[in-house]
Structures are given as structure tokens and as C-alpha cells.
Amino acid sequence: MSGRQLLLHAGTFAATSTGGDITGTRGTSPDGLFTRDTRHLSAWTLTVDGQAPTVLVPAREEGDSAAVLTAAGTRDEPSAWTMFRRQALFHGRLVEHIRITANTGHDAVLTVRLDADADFADQFELRSDHRRYEKAGAHRTVEALPDGVAFHYHRDDWHARTTVTADPAPRVTSAPDLTRTTLTWNVELPAHGSADLTLRVSAEPHGAPAAPPPPGGPAAIAEHTQGQYSAFADVPLPVPAGHEALGRACRQGLADLAGLRIPASGPDGETVAVPAAGVPWFLTLFGRDSLLTSYFALPYRPELAEATLRALAATQAATHEPARVAEPGKIVHEIRHGELSHFRQVPYGRYYGSVDSTPLFLVLLHAHAEQTADHSLAQHLQPQARAAVAWMFQHGGLDEHGYLTYRADEHGLLNQNWKDSEGAVCFADGTQATGDIAVAEAQGYAYDALRRTAALARDAWNDPAWAVDLEASAQKLRERFTAQFWMPGREFPALALDGDKRQVDALASDAGHLLWSGILDAEQGRATGRRLLERDFFSGWGIRTLASGQRPYHPLSYHRGSIWPHDNAVIALGLARYGLHRETAALARALADAAARHHHRLPEVIAGYPRLHSEGPVPYPHSCSPQAWAAATPLALLTALGAAAES
């Protein structure tokens, strides 16, 4: 969010200008106060004596930071006043403190005006200026309060509210037939003195529990939240010599993960803090994203994995619901709380269009037990784990097709692997695969899930007979995969099999995930790993999703030539597993260098252009930042380097 201040806490974010204003933008980078997929503040603009202040010092995201504002002035006639504008966020509450300081020896009266509005737009509306959704009966109203204003939005059983209160109380005026409201103060400013205003905005989304009160003003909130984030990031990190940039990226990643945690419910009604996918579009629970993020962070913050597993166990599908792509035992793809999901105008309220979340759930469940040397969580979630295995065979495709498969959901996601954009699973000529699609990486996840669940069956659930069956199924899957996915002429695995069992022959980064899961034999694994570091794949900043030189390659596409840090993290773990130490180190250094060019924060996606000495990594224009699995990527790279050093 270039040129913006981003505040983030417990599932709420505020995107403002560096001076603290909100103007109601749409498209790639909307501003506003957001929680539960709804914009609760769409206008928040400040003027003094009818003029917008000049930003002398922009607000920073970190710590107790104030934007410093002044009136327009010259060298000979400098501003008569300076404004210090502090904002902080706490559980859906935006708190703002304004201090105006007189720069002259004369008393003055300033007219301070704040224009506010709440459009309650669903995030799916804001992502496009072209798409409009029917909202019969919806209406917005304004309610005057003794010390501010309340904005209301009603549609059938849906009610959302935003309240704005101020001390001292303002004069409140609203235009007829409009909700945009003006708060005005006549501020008496003594000579060389100061005056203060405090404002509180409370977002009250539909169906949400009441938020806890903030611990004070912006300074107290910043101290509280930064203390939490610092404590979360304060874990031992075994950074090897020569990889100091990676260590800094790990610290930034941990701090970002602390901010991205959102409240969710576990299977027993308990509240857990799970990593949301990213800002601005995905500040919610995503199965695949939260699972991989938690796996990357597992050696350093295992509590993320436990929270994620509990939240996903609580939302596991129990019935067939074709509109949601739900089947018994399937792990959820994403959960949404906005108006359009509530009224089923988009299918994502609780959407299961993911072929890989279910095996990844099993992978993480075993990895958590292994990392913590504690089987209690695996024992508690045994029913959900058994249901997940049953889904893979009965509904996921292992029984019917021999592989995990998906079909395009015409009302949701056409592709249901991690490359879920249209056209991402394509042949070398760019044609999208169709039918019952078996993507390569999902078969690797399934193989790993079966082997890991067998270990749990033997060690945690006292079911050695089932363990033997699962291991046999895993071996048969590996044999089928080798026979049908490996392309001998190219010494590389196919991206997928289409509905006719044809090899989808585009050269894609998904092959690197097969190293992580271990489904390839040693010779094929090492050949694949080395191939991924050749120049058509490796840009110098990371491995491209699709090798350059192929017809569908596009360096600015979402999944057909861009570079995803999390994709590279999975590959790095796989390279280390197959003993490719030099390649692991090269990939880790490239991504750490990319992070250093972005203040040590990896973006969600990087364009696929090759690295040049005079240029940094080119940002992807629609990238989320911070984004959970990108934030956790440096931790996975650190783990990969450690594994390489030990082998």
C-alpha cells in the first residue's frame, strides 16, 4: 500500500493517507476502515479553516507515530500552527488524538472540520469498478448522538453500524438525503499553547461479538499492541553466518504474522488466534494459506499450527452442498462474513473449492505432533483426521480416479489448487486443462498426508492395521504418479493430468512441491530441483510459476510467470530434503535480497522479470502486503538452510 498508512489489529485494518485521511477509493488499493469484509468508514477527511493541511511528516505504521500537519506557508510566513495527528487500531476501534500547537504569540480560533461517512461496501464490490450487485431494500441512515454520530446500514436481517464519538463534542450536520456528515469544532488556541481533540470510531459489523474496549488513547494502544507483536517475534532464530538479511526478514515476518492473527472458533467453541491470509483482500481464514503459513512457522511459533488446526476442524464440511463445493470431511477453502456472502450473492461465506486443503490439514496435524513431541492435539482431532482421509478416497478422487481431482466450479473457482486463477493450469500452448483435473502438487500432498497419518495411526491412535493400509495406499499412489506424471523426454513432471489423463505439459513451479512431499525418487527429485534453478525458471529473485520462453508465460500474470515467495519456500524445503544444498542457499539468498528491497517484508507476488544489477524486484501490481505465507516464507527458508546444514 504505497503512500498509505496501514493499521492492523485482530481482524480489522485501516488504510489511510499518510496524513490520516480516508477518501473512499476503490479498485486495487481501497482505503477505509475494514472488518469482516465490510468497509465501516469510507470518508474521514480533515480541514482547518477550510483548507486541507499539508503533510510535513507522514505517519509510520510502526509504533506510536504521528502525522505532522501544517497550514500552507512560506519561508517568510510559516504556518501559525502545527497539528500532531495520532491514530491507532484496537479490535475494530479506531482511536484518534489530535493536538494543535500554536506557533505564534497570538491567541487564535481555528475551525476544524472532519467529514465522515460509512458506505458499508462489501470488499467484493470494491475489487472492481464494473461489477454491481443487486441490493433490494438496502438503506443507510444517520443518527445524531450527543457527542457524535452513528451510521447504520440495513438490508433485511442484516444490520451493520459505525459510531463516531468525540471529546469535546462537535457540532454535527448532515446533508439532506445523504449520510455524509460533518463534525465541526471551533478550537480556541492560546498563544504558544495547544488544544486537543479525541475521536473514537467503533465498527460494529453484522453478527460479530462486542469488541473489547481499547486500553486508552493511541499511545497506549500502540504500546499495548507493539508489546504483543514484539513478544511474538522474540524467538530464537538460528541464522547462519552470511544470511543476516534473511534474519531481518524473519523478524519482520514474525511481526507481520502477529498482526495478521484473527479470532476464530475451535471445535469446542474455544477462541483461537489464526493467521489470516493477507491485507487488503484476504483478512480472513483461508484453509491452504493458513495451513502452509503455520507449517512454515511451526519450528518457531507452534501455537499458530494448533490454532489453525482447531479452526479448520471446526469448519470441516459434514454434508454435501454443491453450491459451496462441500463434501463430508473436506477442509474449508475460505470463510467470509460480508453482506454478499450472507445473502449468497457470492459463494464464499463458507467455501470448499480447494483440492489441497484437506491433505495439508493432515500434513500439519502430524508435523505439529512431531515438532512438539505431543500427541494430545492429534488425539483430540482424530475424528476430523479420519474424516479428512475418508474424503480423499470417497469424494476427493483417490478411489474413482486414482488421484485427488477437482472440476471447475462455474460459480466460484475454476482452478482449485494454489494456482487458482483462470488459465493457470495450462498446457505448453496456453490451453487451460479441463475435466477432472489432477494437479501434480496435490498428489504429493496426498502421498505425504497418507504417510503422516499412518504414523499418527500407529503412534497416537493405537491403530497399526490402519497404518499399514495407509502406507500401502501411499506407495500405490507414488507408483501411479511416477508412471503417469513423469515426462521422460523433458526429465520433468507434468503440471497435471486433464480429464482424459493427458499430461498437461507446461513447465511449472508446482514440480518443486513434489520435492517437499517426497513423492519423487532420489534421481527424479534432484533432476527436478536442478532444473528449477535454470535461467528460464530462476529470475535471480526467485523461481517463476511458469518457465519463461513458453507461450503462456507472462511476467505480470498472477500464476503464469510471476514469482510467489511461499511457492519458493515450499521448493526450498524440498531442495533441502533432496540434498541440493547449493540450490537451497541460492534460493534463500535471492528471496532475502528481494525482501531487503521491500524493507525486509516480502510481498505476496513479485513480477517474473529477470534480475538486473541496476534494478530491484518489480512489484506485482495487485499484491497483498502484509500477506501471511509471504511473511512466513523467511522462516521456511531458515528451516531449509538448517536442514541442508545438518544433512
Side-chain angles (χ1 to χ4, degrees):
M1 290 190 173
S2 178
R4 294 277 180 86
Q5 174 190 207
L6 177 67
L7 304 173
L8 176 64
H9 185 257
T12 301
F13 74 93
T16 74
S17 71
T18 54
D21 280 355
I22 294 168
T23 59
T25 57
R26 304 171 69 94
T28 301
S29 186
D31 62 355
L33 173 65
F34 293 86
T35 189
R36 291 172 70 91
D37 304 314
T38 301
R39 181 159 66 181
H40 277 261
L41 203 60
S42 56
W44 191 253
T45 55
L46 186 72
T47 59
V48 179
D49 291 338
Q51 301 295 318
T54 298
V55 179
L56 191 62
V57 178
R60 303 188 314 274
E61 293 178 18
E62 297 80 14
D64 179 21
S65 173
V68 182
L69 313 174
T70 65
T74 66
R75 184 180 61 180
D76 297 325
E77 294 185 30
S79 173
W81 52 267
T82 299
M83 176 184 291
F84 300 87
R85 189 180 190 186
R86 282 182 165 86
Q87 296 171 325
L89 195 61
F90 187 84
H91 283 285
R93 312 276 180 98
L94 176 66
V95 181
E96 176 166 333
H97 178 260
I98 297 172
R99 171 161 291 175
I100 309 173
T101 300
N103 295 332
T104 72
H106 307 287
D107 294 346
V109 177
L110 304 178
T111 300
V112 177
R113 169 175 167 164
L114 186 68
D115 288 322
D117 202 358
D119 63 4
F120 298 101
D122 191 290
Q123 283 192 291
F124 284 96
E125 296 176 88
L126 297 176
R127 291 174 73 169
S128 172
D129 288 326
H130 310 295
R131 183 71 185 271
R132 294 291 182 266
Y133 294 88
E134 183 67 30
K135 296 185 174 185
H139 60 281
R140 292 189 289 149
T141 58
V142 178
E143 174 191 3
L145 304 176
D147 54 354
V149 63
F151 300 97
H152 297 266
Y153 178 75
H154 291 269
R155 179 185 172 193
D156 294 337
D157 65 336
W158 178 275
H159 177 212
R161 183 170 76 161
T162 303
T163 60
V164 179
T165 59
D167 181 21
R171 184 171 70 254
V172 179
T173 56
S174 297
D177 301 321
L178 296 174
T179 57
R180 192 176 182 93
T181 298
T182 300
L183 312 179
T184 307
W185 299 262
N186 292 322
V187 178
E188 296 182 358
L189 197 60
H192 291 302
S194 62
D196 296 273
L197 303 173
T198 300
L199 298 106
R200 295 177 176 84
V201 182
S202 179
E204 301 172 36
H206 177 81
I221 292 172
E223 181 179 5
H224 178 85
T225 56
Q226 290 302 315
Q228 288 183 328
Y229 296 174
S230 297
F232 186 86
D234 186 20
V235 296
L237 296 175
V239 180
H243 289 275
E244 288 76 15
L246 180 61
R248 289 188 284 272
C250 286
R251 292 292 177 200
Q252 180 62 57
L254 284 164
D256 286 339
L257 289 175
L260 285 167
R261 290 173 300 171
I262 62 172
S265 295
D268 303 314
E270 71 276 22
T271 298
V272 294
V274 300
V279 174
W281 302 118
F282 307 115
L283 195 62
T284 187
L285 176 64
F286 269 69
R288 179 192 305 118
D289 298 56
S290 299
L291 286 162
L292 283 174
T293 296
S294 299
Y295 185 93
F296 293 168
L298 183 58
Y300 314 99
R301 279 296 178 191
E303 64 268 34
L304 286 182
E306 179 172 355
T308 294
L309 289 164
R310 288 182 177 275
L312 293 176
T315 54
Q316 187 177 37
T319 60
H320 288 272
E321 290 186 71
R324 299 181 185 271
V325 203
E327 295 150 340
K330 199 173 186 182
I331 297 298
V332 76
H333 171 66
E334 69 180 284
I335 292 177
R336 293 289 185 173
H337 303 283
E339 174 193 2
L340 297 180
S341 297
H342 177 78
F343 289 105
R344 303 245 178 153
Q345 291 176 276
V346 296
Y348 304 113
R350 186 176 285 192
Y351 185 65
Y352 292 85
S354 167
V355 73
D356 49 11
S357 294
T358 306
L360 288 172
F361 174 85
L362 295 166
V363 168
L364 183 63
L365 183 64
H366 171 264
H368 177 269
E370 188 176 49
Q371 178 68 40
T372 61
D374 183 355
H375 287 138
S376 58
L377 180 63
Q379 290 167 344
H380 187 65
L381 299 183
Q382 182 184 170
Q384 291 87 350
R386 287 181 178 270
V389 172
W391 174 84
M392 289 201 299
F393 284 97
Q394 297 169 17
H395 309 291
L398 286 183
D399 280 344
E400 182 179 0
H401 302 290
Y403 299 108
L404 290 186
T405 62
Y406 66 86
R407 293 186 70 87
D409 176 14
E410 298 299 331
H411 302 288
L413 295 173
L414 298 183
N415 285 311
Q416 295 171 22
N417 60 326
W418 85 260
K419 293 178 178 177
D420 58 7
S421 61
E422 184 175 357
V425 181
C426 62
F427 291 85
D429 65 1
T431 305
Q432 165 69 34
T434 58
D436 293 297
I437 300 171
V439 287
E441 75 274 15
Q443 316 320 315
Y445 304 160
Y447 169 76
D448 197 21
L450 292 171
R451 287 171 49 83
R452 287 175 178 271
T453 307
L456 290 176
R458 183 175 286 111
D459 301 333
W461 304 333
N462 193 29
D463 194 346
W466 195 40
V468 171
D469 290 344
L470 292 172
E471 287 167 341
S473 295
Q475 182 59 31
K476 290 176 183 177
L477 173 58
R478 189 184 200 193
E479 292 168 359
R480 284 194 303 274
F481 183 88
T482 300
Q484 293 186 279
F485 274 78
W486 189 255
M487 300 186 291
R490 309 184 82 174
E491 292 298 304
F492 202 75
L495 169 58
L497 301 181
D498 72 359
D500 295 322
K501 294 291 192 293
R502 295 182 302 165
Q503 291 182 337
V504 180
D505 59 349
L507 300 181
S509 63
D510 308 57
H513 293 225
L514 305 174
L515 279 65
W516 176 53
S517 64
I519 197 171
L520 297 177
D521 65 29
E523 183 179 352
Q524 291 174 342
R526 285 193 287 271
T528 299
R530 294 189 181 102
R531 181 67 182 84
L532 288 167
L533 270 293
E534 293 183 15
R535 291 182 62 182
D536 57 345
F537 267 117
F538 185 57
S539 75
W541 299 115
I543 293 170
R544 300 178 177 98
T545 47
L546 207 65
S548 63
Q550 301 177 95
R551 179 179 293 181
Y553 169 75
H554 190 311
L556 284 175
S557 70
Y558 203 44
H559 291 125
R560 291 177 24 158
S562 57
I563 297 163
W564 287 65
H566 92 276
D567 184 32
N568 281 249
V570 173
I571 294 170
L573 291 168
L575 292 171
R577 178 174 186 157
Y578 280 77
L580 298 172
H581 307 323
R582 188 188 323 170
E583 289 82 357
T584 303
L587 190 54
R589 289 186 189 281
L591 287 160
D593 288 349
R597 305 293 187 100
H598 291 274
H599 307 287
H600 304 291
R601 172 186 284 166
L602 280 168
E604 178 189 24
V605 195
I606 301 168
Y609 297 110
R611 181 172 184 170
L612 300 174
H613 292 299
S614 60
E615 299 175 2
V618 176
Y620 177 77
H622 308 291
S623 181
C624 287
S625 184
Q627 203 266 358
W629 57 16
T633 285
L635 300 173
L637 297 173
L638 187 61
T639 301
L641 288 174
E646 292 172 5
S647 61

